Amino acid sequence: MAQETIFSKIIRREVPAKIVYQDDLVTAFHDINPQAPVHILIIPNEVIPTTNDVESSQASNLGTLFIVAAKLAKQFSISESGYRLIVNCNKDARQEVFHLHMHLLGGKDLGPMLSLD
Ligand code: 5GP
């Protein structure tokens, strides 16, 4: 079974987080170190360490991340101005928490897609 991270404790509300959405499949909460005026993490409740571990049986579960992202973008008034969805995987993407998560970033001009330094 996949190793739990701090995110499982957030899902179970054992550690504090600013949760903005939760249902049976998905939890969303504000990033502790926001990189934009809106920076929300949207995660499957099931532990999936990275995108490399995704299985076809999880398709609808993971598809829900996009549904929730669009809903939250509207709720936080960035759906028209725009936003970026990011999923990091492993070392070169600097993934820090090995519980697959989607970053929802917006509320300002986010600049070029990648900083090339
Ligand atoms: P990654 O680099 O793995 O894609 O992003 C992990 C994100 O999780 C980072 O943006 C980091 O600030 C956030 N994060 C790490 N630990 C916590 C935590 O305990 N609570 C919250 N709300 N965010 C966290």
Side-chain angles (χ1 to χ4, degrees):
M1 211 169 100
Q3 185 98 29
E4 286 197 349
T5 71
I6 186 79
F7 286 0
S8 289
K9 292 188 166 69
I10 288 174
I11 291 165
R12 294 196 296 264
R13 298 175 187 248
E14 293 169 2
V15 301
K18 293 180 186 164
I19 293 178
V20 291
Y21 180 88
Q22 189 164 45
D23 65 20
D24 289 348
L25 297 178
V26 170
T27 300
F29 51 91
H30 289 282
D31 195 291
I32 204 167
N33 183 21
Q35 303 298 308
V38 176
H39 187 173
I40 293 169
L41 301 175
I42 307 164
I43 71 176
N45 293 341
E46 177 185 2
V47 181
I48 304 168
T50 78
T51 50
N52 291 333
D53 304 300
V54 167
E55 293 172 7
S56 55
S57 62
Q58 295 158 329
S60 110
N61 186 346
L62 293 172
T64 305
L65 299 183
F66 284 91
I67 307 293
V68 173
K71 180 186 169 75
L72 290 173
K74 198 166 181 192
Q75 185 178 325
F76 284 85
S77 305
I78 58 171
S79 54
E80 296 307 316
S81 51
Y83 54 91
R84 189 168 287 158
L85 301 174
I86 297 174
V87 179
N88 293 317
C89 180
N90 281 339
K91 182 171 64 70
D92 281 358
R94 304 202 187 185
Q95 182 178 2
E96 290 172 8
V97 179
F98 287 83
H99 181 136
L100 190 153
H101 49 279
M102 177 184 278
H103 296 256
L104 166 63
L105 295 144
K108 68 172 188 179
D109 180 344
L110 297 169
M113 190 167 68
L114 295 174
S115 67
L116 301 173
D117 51 9

